[in-house]
């Protein structure tokens, strides 16, 4: 049979059949009433920036009430403080003291990791938690310094200067970078740009955190082995070269001390993991190791035998550091870049941790409000001798398990740190650095989530590739390279999905009017003489050409199948447009070209179930007139019914 012979568009008899066919039972596809351009823009802005509709609570409220709600929105503490009770405080008191016992040794450890004075770790566990308690919306988030970001800020600054040779300049750069990070974070929250951090997928975070944990642990080999000099590079090759190139400088005293206390920390963590009710054992373990090791060093005078100690920690609360900011000079570009990177990482970790524990207690946290809270605590913190802070997973987990009820647990922790700063800092003088390295390694091992990586491999191989890309990039390159690799793979995947969307042939589920993917449902029956296709994505300039070619291949495959099985020839092509949320001008032009091409082969094109946005654009482009209003159907079932009736009428008319 020649192209078009005996088919719908080439037969005058067929035209008469179509004109005479009763179509009253077919529902007409409607177009929503036209809206003004301003209304459309307002709707788009609202859905992009205000999907949570934060202004709903202000509707139909008197002016005084609106003012109070506005202040309450900015300061969530005003929502729960009036309902606070002594019973709730008892829970928060226990939680706050528990996380303080963890925050104090970790703060000192992580400050050393960032190449900063240890006292800054305590400063950073005092002011930021107080700010977050007033502005944050999470009940469980425990605020403080984190190892990954401490390493990140330390390594980025070390590329510009030597912290060992110029510690004061390194301190000023770290505080200025923290200020820029806070400005960036708060601005994202104010301008409702929370969707930006969604580009760091779960797979990226799993790989990045595991890679960073590996790198941080490798860096701590300096303390475990008692080495004086160590590479400033963060990749595994440089770290291993630095370790094995100095075997003659390893000190057995620090190795024994480090391995002993690391084993103790790992054993306590294992016990708490097996028996969650004993969470306090692992929570108290870091402070216990600090106390025991300090007593041991003091009693044995180990500092005189090569065991390095923390040394003097000055007493007193956070001094103001506004005058330390460096907004001019050759370091400005590096500081802005560092602030941007650490700002994104801390936002991602803080919000992810907050949402995780909020899910356990069945409440919601506002991502944009969290950005403002985290940003403000870093802005204020940078002005009061604090470097970058966020919600730490380990401390938040302890806070959650300790039974915290509100953010008062952060206030209790801050008060405990304040007491330490005022009266107890001399007690840390003899704390060995090797024990701080053990505390860091113990915390980092918990961030290497092998079960999560295995889950990614089982569920989605591309996500696993993203995860491994982030891990390999961090471990063999640096943290920046790992992020770039992971984000690049994720964006390439997104582009691939957009440019090569899924299409499917639909069949009828027996004894129903339901049409589903014939590959997914083998029992779904093909309709004789009709090819039903579905496009599972919006139609844009990036995929229009591909979709046209893919649809034509579906048509050719169907014709070959019918010819091979000696069934009736193909007459109609129905495209289910339900998943097509929108279309651009390139997509409309593609549909016009597709209709012409299909008609040249003697087939009739029909569309079913176009959405409101899609239908509006097709109407404006006059494509509905070009296609013919009789070939737009509300459902696939109605389209099949009409086309089947036409086929039957043609057979009856010879």
């Amino acid at each position: 049979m020649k192209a078009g012979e005996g088919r719908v568009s080439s037969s005058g008899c067929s035209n008469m059949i179509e004109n005479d066919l009763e179509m009253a039972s077919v529902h007409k596809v409607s177009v929503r009433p036209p809206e003004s351009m301003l209304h459309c823009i307002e709707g788009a802005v609202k859905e992009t920036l205000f999907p949570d509709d934060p202004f709903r609570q202000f509707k139909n409220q008197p002016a005084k009430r609106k003012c109070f709600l506005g202040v309450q929105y900015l300061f969530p503490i005003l929502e729960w403080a009036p309902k606070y009770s002594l019973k709730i405080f008892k829970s928060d008191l226990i939680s706050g003291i528990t996380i303080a016992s963890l925050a104090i040794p970790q703060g000192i450890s992580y400050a050393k990791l960032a190449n900063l004075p240890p006292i800054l770790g305590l400063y950073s566990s005092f002011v930021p938690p107080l700010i977050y308690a007033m502005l944050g919306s999470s009940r469980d988030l425990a605020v403080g310094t984190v190892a990954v970001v401490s390493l990140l800020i330390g390594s980025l600054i070390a590329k510009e200067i030597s912290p060992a040779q110029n510690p004061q300049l390194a301190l000023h750069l770290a505080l200025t970078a923290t200020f820029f990070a806070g400005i960036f974070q708060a601005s994202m929250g104010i301008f409702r740009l929370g969707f930006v951090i969604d580009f760091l997928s779960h797979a990226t975070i799993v790989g990045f955190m595991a890679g960073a944990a590996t790198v941080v642990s490798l860096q701590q080999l300096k303390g475990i082995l008692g080495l004086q000099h160590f590479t400033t590079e963060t990749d595994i090759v440089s770290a291993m070269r630095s370790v094995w190139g100095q075997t003659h400088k390893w000190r057995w005293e620090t190795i024994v001390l480090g391995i002993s206390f690391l084993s103790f920390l790992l054993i306590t963590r294992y016990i708490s993991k097996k028996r969650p009710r004993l969470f306090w054992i692992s929570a108290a373990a870091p402070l216990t190791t600090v106390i025991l090791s300090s007593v041991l060093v003091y009693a044995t005078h180990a500092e005189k035998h090569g065991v390095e100690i923390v040394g003097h920690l000055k007493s007193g609360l956070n001094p103001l550091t506004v005058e330390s900011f460096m907004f001019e000079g050759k370091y400005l570009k590096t500081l802005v870049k560092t602030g941007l990177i650490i700002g994104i990482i801390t936002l991602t970790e803080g919000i992810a941790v907050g949402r995780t524990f909020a899910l356990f207690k069945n409440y919601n946290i506002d991502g944009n409000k969290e950005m403002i809270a985290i940003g403000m605590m870093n802005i204020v913190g940078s002005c009061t001798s604090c470097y970058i802070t966020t919600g730490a997973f380990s401390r938040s987990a302890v806070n959650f398990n300790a039974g915290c009820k509100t953010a008062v647990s952060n206030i209790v922790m801050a008060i405990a740190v304040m007491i330490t700063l005022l009266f107890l800092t001399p007690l840390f003088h003899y704390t060995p650095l090797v024990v701080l390295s053990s505390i860091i390694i113990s915390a980092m091992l918990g961030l290497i989530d092998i079960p999560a990586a295995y889950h990614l491999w089982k569920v989605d191989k591309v996500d696993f590739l993203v995860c491994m890309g982030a891990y390999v990039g961090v471990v063999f390159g640096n943290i920046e390279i790992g992020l770039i690799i992971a984000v690049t793979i994720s964006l390439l995947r997104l582009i691939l999905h957009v440019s090569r969307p899924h299409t499917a042939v639909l069949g009828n589920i027996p004894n129903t009017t339901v049409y589903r993917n014939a590959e997914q449902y083998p029992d779904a029956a093909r309709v004789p003489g009709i090819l039903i296709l579905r496009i599972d994505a919006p139609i844009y300039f990036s995929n229009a050409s591909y979709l046209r070619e893919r649809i034509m291949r579906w048509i050719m495959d169907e014709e070959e199948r019918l010819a091979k099985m000696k069934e009736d020839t193909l007459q109609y092509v129905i495209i289910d447009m339900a998943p097509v949320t929108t279309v651009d001008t390139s997509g409309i032009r593609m549909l016009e070209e597709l209709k012409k091409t299909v008609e040249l082969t003697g087939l009739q094109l029909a569309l079913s179930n176009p959405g409101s946005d899609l239908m509006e654009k097709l109407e404006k482009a006059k494509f509905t007139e070009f296609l013919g209003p009789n070939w737009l159907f509300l459902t696939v079932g109605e389209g099949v019914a009409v086309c089947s009736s036409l086929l039957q009428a043609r057979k009856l008319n010879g």
Side-chain angles (χ1 to χ4, degrees):
M1 181 179 290
K2 296 180 181 180
E5 185 177 337
R7 290 185 173 172
V8 174
S9 58
S10 61
S11 172
C13 180
S14 297
N15 290 331
M16 293 178 62
I17 294 171
E18 293 171 13
N19 292 331
D20 294 340
L21 184 66
E22 178 62 46
M23 302 185 69
S25 62
V26 178
H27 297 89
K28 183 179 179 182
V29 179
S30 61
V31 183
R32 68 182 179 189
E35 297 178 340
S36 66
M37 181 64 71
L38 180 60
H39 189 273
C40 292
I41 294 174
E42 286 179 352
V45 170
K46 180 180 178 181
E47 288 303 314
T48 303
L49 302 181
F50 303 97
D52 54 343
D53 195 9
F55 302 113
R56 175 176 293 182
Q57 59 178 326
F58 297 100
K59 293 179 180 177
N60 303 320
Q61 297 289 344
K64 186 179 292 187
R65 178 64 178 170
K66 286 182 179 179
C67 182
F68 174 76
L69 290 174
V71 174
Q72 196 178 67
Y73 180 80
L74 293 175
F75 298 94
I77 190 173
L78 298 177
E79 295 181 21
W80 50 264
K83 308 172 187 175
Y84 204 70
S85 65
L86 181 61
K87 182 179 179 181
I88 297 175
F89 176 69
K90 290 179 181 179
S91 299
D92 288 337
L93 178 64
I94 295 172
S95 302
I97 294 174
T98 305
I99 58 176
S101 68
L102 183 62
I104 292 170
Q106 281 189 348
I108 297 173
S109 305
Y110 296 164
K112 292 291 290 182
L113 188 61
N115 299 318
L116 297 172
I119 193 67
L120 256 74
L122 295 181
Y123 289 159
S124 301
S125 298
F126 171 46
V127 172
L130 295 176
I131 303 299
Y132 183 82
M134 291 186 291
L135 299 176
S137 58
S138 173
R139 306 171 195 166
D140 304 281
L141 204 65
V143 170
T145 56
V146 290
V148 172
V149 183
S150 297
L151 173 69
L152 182 56
I153 192 172
S155 63
L156 289 173
I157 291 174
K159 290 181 180 179
E160 294 294 321
I161 64 165
S162 172
Q165 296 177 2
N166 201 337
Q168 197 65 24
L169 178 58
L171 173 60
H172 293 173
L173 293 179
L175 294 175
T176 309
T178 299
F179 177 78
F180 280 125
I183 292 292
F184 173 72
Q185 293 167 330
S187 299
M188 285 187 66
I190 292 170
F191 294 106
R192 315 288 294 182
L193 299 178
F195 61 86
V196 173
I197 65 172
D198 292 336
F199 283 97
L200 289 178
S201 63
H202 171 68
T204 300
I205 295 173
V206 170
F208 172 78
M209 296 301 287
T214 303
V215 166
V216 170
S217 299
L218 290 173
Q219 290 290 316
Q220 297 317 299
L221 292 177
K222 175 187 177 182
I224 295 291
L225 301 175
L227 299 175
Q228 296 292 326
H229 303 286
F230 205 76
T231 179
T232 57
E233 299 295 326
T234 58
D235 63 281
I236 187 173
V237 176
S238 299
M240 289 295 96
R241 186 184 293 121
S242 190
V243 167
W244 295 110
Q246 303 183 75
T247 53
H248 58 289
K249 296 181 180 179
W250 292 7
R251 303 196 64 90
W252 68 267
E253 300 95 335
T254 58
I255 293 175
V256 171
L257 199 61
I259 292 178
S260 299
F261 282 105
L262 177 60
S263 300
F264 170 72
L265 290 168
L266 294 178
I267 290 171
T268 57
R269 196 179 72 176
Y270 176 79
I271 293 173
S272 296
K273 189 174 181 180
K274 287 294 183 180
R275 295 182 178 274
R277 290 185 178 181
L278 300 178
F279 69 91
W280 55 270
I281 294 179
S282 63
L287 187 58
T288 303
T289 60
V290 168
I291 295 172
L292 292 177
S293 62
S294 299
V295 171
L296 181 63
V297 169
Y298 177 78
T300 61
H301 301 288
E303 76 278 9
K304 297 179 181 179
H305 301 282
V307 176
E308 291 189 76
I309 59 176
V310 170
H312 175 67
L313 290 178
K314 62 179 181 180
S315 300
L317 301 181
N318 305 30
L320 296 178
T321 49
V322 178
E323 295 179 355
S324 301
F325 292 159
M326 303 178 66
F327 298 128
E328 299 178 357
K330 61 181 180 179
Y331 302 116
L332 183 60
K333 183 178 179 181
T334 299
L335 292 173
V336 173
K337 171 189 169 185
T338 303
L340 181 65
I341 294 174
I342 63 176
I344 291 177
I345 298 300
T346 50
L347 273 184
T348 303
E349 181 173 358
I351 294 176
V353 171
R355 285 176 175 169
T356 298
F357 291 106
L359 183 64
F360 292 150
K361 291 186 177 179
N362 195 29
Y363 71 93
N364 296 318
I365 65 171
D366 188 324
N368 289 292
K369 286 169 68 175
E370 286 295 288
M371 289 179 183
I372 296 174
I374 294 174
M376 288 304 299
M377 75 183 190
N378 282 315
I379 292 173
V380 176
S382 65
C383 298
T384 54
S385 303
C386 305
Y387 76 101
I388 191 77
T389 55
T390 188
F393 181 81
S394 58
R395 263 168 275 175
S396 299
V398 170
N399 195 30
F400 175 84
N401 288 324
C404 72
K405 301 298 182 182
T406 68
V408 168
S409 60
N410 275 294
I411 298 176
V412 173
M413 178 187 71
I415 294 173
V417 173
M418 179 189 72
I419 294 172
T420 302
L421 285 169
L422 290 174
F423 307 110
L424 305 179
T425 50
L427 299 180
F428 296 97
H429 178 88
Y430 289 99
T431 301
L433 297 184
V434 63
V435 168
L436 300 184
S437 295
S438 299
I439 292 172
I440 293 174
I441 293 175
S442 173
M444 290 302 95
L445 293 178
L447 297 179
I448 303 176
D449 197 344
I450 296 176
Y454 178 65
H455 179 73
L456 292 173
W457 169 259
K458 287 197 305 181
V459 175
D460 192 319
K461 300 298 188 292
V462 178
D463 267 353
F464 179 77
L465 180 63
V466 171
C467 174
M468 294 309 299
Y471 181 81
V472 171
V474 171
V475 171
F476 289 94
N478 55 49
I479 291 177
E480 296 169 86
I481 291 175
L483 281 177
I484 291 172
I485 291 175
V487 172
T488 300
I489 296 175
S490 298
L491 289 177
L492 287 175
R493 182 186 192 184
L494 180 63
I495 292 171
L496 183 63
H497 276 301
V498 172
S499 62
R500 295 293 183 269
H502 180 259
T503 58
V505 175
L506 305 186
N508 177 240
I509 302 297
N511 303 317
T512 71
T513 58
V514 177
Y515 292 82
R516 291 293 183 266
N517 187 340
E519 290 185 0
Q520 183 179 359
Y521 298 91
D523 294 337
R526 304 281 186 95
V527 181
I530 304 171
L531 174 63
I532 310 168
L533 302 174
R534 188 184 67 212
I535 300 174
D536 292 331
I539 304 176
Y540 294 120
F541 65 93
S542 57
N543 60 28
S545 297
Y546 166 78
L547 286 173
R548 182 181 62 248
E549 295 167 1
R550 188 68 186 95
I551 291 170
M552 292 309 300
R553 278 193 287 130
W554 279 123
I555 292 172
M556 288 187 288
D557 291 345
E558 181 68 6
E559 288 181 327
E560 291 176 3
R561 186 186 72 85
L562 293 174
K564 185 177 180 180
M565 299 181 67
K566 297 181 180 180
E567 295 184 0
D568 293 341
T569 57
L570 186 62
Q571 301 287 336
Y572 299 96
V573 178
I574 300 175
I575 301 180
D576 182 7
M577 305 292 281
V580 182
T581 54
T582 189
V583 64
D584 65 2
T585 53
S586 298
I588 294 173
R589 184 170 179 81
M590 182 276 289
L591 292 174
E592 293 172 348
E593 293 174 356
L594 178 65
K595 180 183 184 301
K596 293 176 183 178
T597 305
V598 166
E599 285 183 345
L600 288 175
T601 62
L603 304 176
Q604 174 62 53
L605 179 68
L607 305 181
S608 73
N609 198 19
S612 59
D613 288 340
L614 176 62
M615 192 62 188
E616 183 178 356
K617 291 187 177 182
L618 295 181
E619 278 281 315
K620 290 179 179 179
K622 298 185 178 180
F623 176 80
T624 53
E625 296 179 15
F626 179 70
L627 178 67
N630 287 346
W631 300 110
L632 275 171
F633 300 104
L634 187 63
T635 66
V636 173
E638 289 189 354
V640 170
V642 169
C643 294
S644 297
S645 298
L646 291 171
L647 287 171
Q648 291 296 324
R650 186 173 301 106
K651 288 181 180 180
L652 293 174
N653 283 273

